[in-house]
Amino acid sequence: MSIPTLNFIEELKWRGMLQDMMPGTDELLKKGPVKGYIGFDPTSDSLGVGNLVQVMILLHFQRCGHQPVALVGGATGMVGDPSGKSAERNLLSEDILNANLQGQKKQLEKFLDFTAGPTQASIVNNYDWFKNFNFLDFIRDVGKHITVNYMLAKDSVKSRLESGLSFTEFSYQLVQGYDFYYLWKHQGLKLQMGGSDQWGNITTGTELIRRMEGGEAFALTTPLIKKADGTKFGKTESGNIWLDPKKTSPYKFFQFWLNSSDEDSKNYIRIFTTKSQEEVLALEAEHDLAPNQRLLQKAIAKEVTIRVHSESDYNAAVEASEILFGNAPTEALSKLDEETLLNVFEGVPQMQISRDELTSGISVIELLSDKTNVFPSRGEARKLIQGGGVSINKQKLTDVNAVQNTNGLLQNKYLLVQKGKKNYYLLIVN
RNA sequence: GGGGAGAUAGCCAAGCGGCCAACGGCAACAGACUGUAAAUCUGUCCUCAUACGAGUUCGAAGGUUCGAAUCCUUCUCUCCCCA
């Protein structure tokens, strides 16, 4: 094992991933390998790209020679964190929670190195130490050390006093705080990290450690990432971007990164890749010379897609993108053999249509609204066609009353429908 | 407990008896320009309908009227002020 050459704090700073830290955190990390953790909320069976920031923190932490621990919140997930929420949360059932935990665990394993060694990553579940902790013991042994005044002062609580929050959510910070205490006490964890909205919860933990045992523990938070236009990161028109290929296809995932604006991509390259500062600066300089090449976006999309999915998924996504967005004219499309075609369009929605409907010719409006779900109604199909927003096999429809028959089928079997610039549908005729 | 203000489409916000499917802004979607970027300009934006048009909206329920988002009654909820 080589001596770690990277300084974690420095690393976070130039990447723009450091919001705040407790005094002494830097010194602690310089002294030697530290065990630190981040908690994940099991509200879904898959992590989204929004969670990726935290995952990357753990990854950088490990790369800097420390020991990352991911905490999946089997217990805290049952309570509900009021941070950043404007209303009382719906509680999930135990079954769902468990399924979610398993899903997230699998994804975390793709990022961190779990092989034995001084920086070996691990995953813990706080349900393990909470399941047998009864209420009376908890309020005697833990609650006794923290005043309500202290708890009320947290922003997450303060902002909810007007609209109201249940005792359950109010106690959340204590439950999370106890996690930190438990891990500090029994597993030697000294540092908790998280998004800036977690600062209050994390400091309740360090406070608990101080009051219960006079111990010292540290905290560090990352800024909330936002897009340059101020909108939320990680969402598109069609919803959240997930790591689970069943919820977001690798093609879409790849496209998500490729579509980042220039401004955003300069942040993303720092946060979501492990490229060194020199590499990033060089890439940026090159990008600025020819922004139309979108080198940054491509570099990010490549690294993240390979890490989350696989090299072959990445290659397929690139191939599909080139065909869909490149200058490939209709002829190029028709030259594709069936296998390539199906491979390329694996990530785009596919719809069936019977051959009989087509042989005698069918108006495109009927085809796209009644026979398939490309459009929910004829009116909408008509409007977009009139607006010049619909293409079939890369050819723009200019006539609202156009009729489609079996002549233009790719491989005598497929139709590629394009709605707007980025939405594709593959119609399969059989 | 007393007094006042308000509730309009995804959000903000006009309208205060017919010209209202409802000004305007934001968001969203599409087109042009570009680089699958940003900015800008243009179009669409309650639902269905090629269109003519039809249907369902202005917190809820009733009522007045030829006609109501607009007037009246009751109810529900929100905010403010005084106790």
Side-chain angles (χ1 to χ4, degrees), chain A residues 292-423:
Chain A
N292 58 318
Q293 297 286 312
R294 291 185 301 140
L295 285 176
L296 283 173
Q297 286 91 334
K298 285 178 184 166
I300 300 163
K302 177 176 182 179
E303 189 172 324
V304 182
T305 306
I306 291 178
R307 179 169 290 122
V308 171
H309 298 294
S310 71
E311 183 109 31
S312 62
D313 285 326
Y314 161 74
N315 288 330
V318 170
E319 197 180 344
S321 302
E322 267 163 15
I323 287 164
L324 295 177
F325 294 100
N327 295 321
T330 315
E331 304 89 72
L333 254 187
S334 52
K335 278 193 199 121
L336 290 178
D337 61 76
E338 183 164 2
E339 200 189 331
T340 323
L341 195 117
L342 281 180
N343 263 333
V344 163
F345 298 127
E346 208 191 349
V348 316
Q350 309 194 344
M351 292 163 180
Q352 311 280 333
I353 173 136
S354 83
R355 188 168 290 269
D356 300 346
E357 313 259 21
L358 274 179
T359 40
S360 50
I362 180 171
S363 86
V364 287
I365 293 205
E366 203 182 333
L367 175 69
L368 299 182
S369 56
D370 294 351
K371 304 299 179 195
T372 59
N373 297 322
V374 177
F375 290 96
S377 74
R378 296 166 145 255
E380 279 193 40
R382 181 174 305 273
K383 277 178 197 161
L384 236 210
I385 293 172
Q386 275 169 343
V390 180
S391 298
I392 289 183
N393 292 343
K394 298 285 281 184
Q395 228 157 23
K396 187 169 279 191
L397 287 178
T398 46
D399 179 10
V400 183
N401 299 312
V403 169
Q404 178 69 49
N405 54 33
T406 49
N407 281 342
L409 295 183
L410 302 171
Q411 294 299 314
N412 197 30
K413 205 175 165 190
Y414 305 98
L415 279 175
L416 180 66
V417 178
Q418 183 176 6
K419 179 168 103 179
K421 204 173 282 182
K422 296 170 189 172
N423 306 302

Side-chain angles (χ1 to χ4, degrees), chain A residues 37 71-73 75-76 125-127 129-130 172-185 189 192 205 208-209:
Chain A
Y37 82 101
L71 179 148
V72 290
T76 31
N125 182 349
N126 59 10
Y127 188 66
W129 54 85
F130 268 113
Y172 182 89
Q173 56 172 299
L174 262 194
V175 178
Q176 183 172 330
Y178 180 77
D179 282 342
F180 198 1
Y181 169 79
Y182 181 92
L183 291 169
W184 175 85
K185 173 100 175 157
L189 272 82
Q192 183 180 175
L208 209 51
I209 291 167

Side-chain angles (χ1 to χ4, degrees), chain A residues 135-172:
Chain A
F135 182 71
L136 273 180
D137 288 340
F138 184 76
I139 57 176
R140 272 182 66 100
D141 298 344
V142 181
K144 192 72 186 165
H145 298 279
I146 297 285
T147 65
V148 168
N149 316 50
Y150 178 84
M151 294 172 72
L152 282 171
K154 305 282 178 182
D155 282 341
S156 57
V157 173
K158 245 198 287 186
S159 62
R160 283 281 297 281
L161 284 179
E162 279 276 318
S163 56
L165 81 168
S166 66
F167 176 73
T168 309
E169 276 186 304
F170 176 64
S171 12
Y172 182 89

Side-chain angles (χ1 to χ4, degrees), chain A residues 2 8 19 41 44 82 91 97 131 154 160 175 185 193 207 217 220 250 258 273 277 279 298 302 309 366 384 387 407:
Chain A
S2 60
F8 182 59
Q19 169 87 15
D41 208 12
S44 163
L91 297 182
L97 227 43
K131 64 184 168 201
K154 305 282 178 182
R160 283 281 297 281
V175 178
K185 173 100 175 157
M193 298 168 280
E207 188 66 11
L220 174 157
L258 200 65
T273 74
Q277 190 165 15
E279 286 174 291
K298 285 178 184 166
K302 177 176 182 179
H309 298 294
E366 203 182 333
L384 236 210
N407 281 342

Side-chain angles (χ1 to χ4, degrees), chain A residues 5-250:
Chain A
T5 47
L6 292 168
N7 174 296
F8 182 59
I9 298 295
E10 289 307 316
E11 190 72 5
L12 292 190
K13 272 187 183 161
W14 79 260
R15 289 181 188 276
M17 297 171 87
L18 184 65
Q19 169 87 15
D20 215 347
M21 60 177 169
M22 279 178 66
T25 306
D26 199 11
E27 290 73 11
L28 168 81
L29 289 162
K30 275 181 184 151
K31 267 188 264 170
V34 169
K35 261 179 134 173
Y37 82 101
I38 294 180
F40 292 88
D41 208 12
T43 40
S44 163
D45 61 354
S46 169
L47 297 169
V49 291
N51 300 315
L52 217 47
V53 185
Q54 303 311 323
V55 179
M56 290 308 290
I57 291 277
L58 286 180
L59 178 58
H60 290 306
F61 192 64
Q62 187 167 44
R63 287 177 62 244
C64 292
H66 301 288
Q67 210 179 337
V69 175
L71 179 148
V72 290
T76 31
M78 301 192 81
V79 177
D81 183 2
S83 303
K85 310 277 186 312
S86 52
E88 182 79 17
R89 265 218 323 215
N90 289 322
L91 297 182
L92 299 171
S93 76
E94 210 171 320
D95 287 352
I96 294 178
L97 227 43
N98 259 323
N100 291 354
L101 283 181
Q102 290 313 314
Q104 295 195 356
K105 224 167 147 175
K106 253 201 224 142
Q107 294 175 337
L108 286 166
E109 284 165 359
K110 287 192 160 174
F111 288 83
L112 302 169
D113 185 359
F114 289 83
T115 52
T119 66
Q120 179 180 13
S122 54
I123 293 178
V124 296
N125 182 349
N126 59 10
Y127 188 66
D128 291 341
W129 54 85
F130 268 113
K131 64 184 168 201
N132 294 321
F133 203 165
N134 77 47
F135 182 71
L136 273 180
D137 288 340
F138 184 76
I139 57 176
R140 272 182 66 100
D141 298 344
V142 181
K144 192 72 186 165
H145 298 279
I146 297 285
T147 65
V148 168
N149 316 50
Y150 178 84
M151 294 172 72
L152 282 171
K154 305 282 178 182
D155 282 341
S156 57
V157 173
K158 245 198 287 186
S159 62
R160 283 281 297 281
L161 284 179
E162 279 276 318
S163 56
L165 81 168
S166 66
F167 176 73
T168 309
E169 276 186 304
F170 176 64
S171 12
Y172 182 89
Q173 56 172 299
L174 262 194
V175 178
Q176 183 172 330
Y178 180 77
D179 282 342
F180 198 1
Y181 169 79
Y182 181 92
L183 291 169
W184 175 85
K185 173 100 175 157
H186 300 284
Q187 299 193 21
L189 272 82
K190 292 241 167 52
L191 174 67
Q192 183 180 175
M193 298 168 280
S196 56
D197 60 333
Q198 292 300 309
W199 183 257
N201 293 332
I202 297 175
T203 51
T204 297
T206 57
E207 188 66 11
L208 209 51
I209 291 167
R210 200 176 63 76
R211 296 206 191 180
M212 286 174 77
E213 306 259 342
E216 204 175 17
F218 300 88
L220 174 157
T221 57
T222 60
L224 216 71
I225 41 166
K226 268 209 195 141
K227 293 197 280 183
D229 59 12
T231 55
K232 206 175 168 196
F233 166 77
K235 295 218 169 169
T236 63
E237 320 85 68
S238 39
N240 246 322
I241 300 294
W242 302 99
L243 303 198
D244 184 343
K246 285 192 216 76
K247 300 179 97 168
T248 300
S249 71

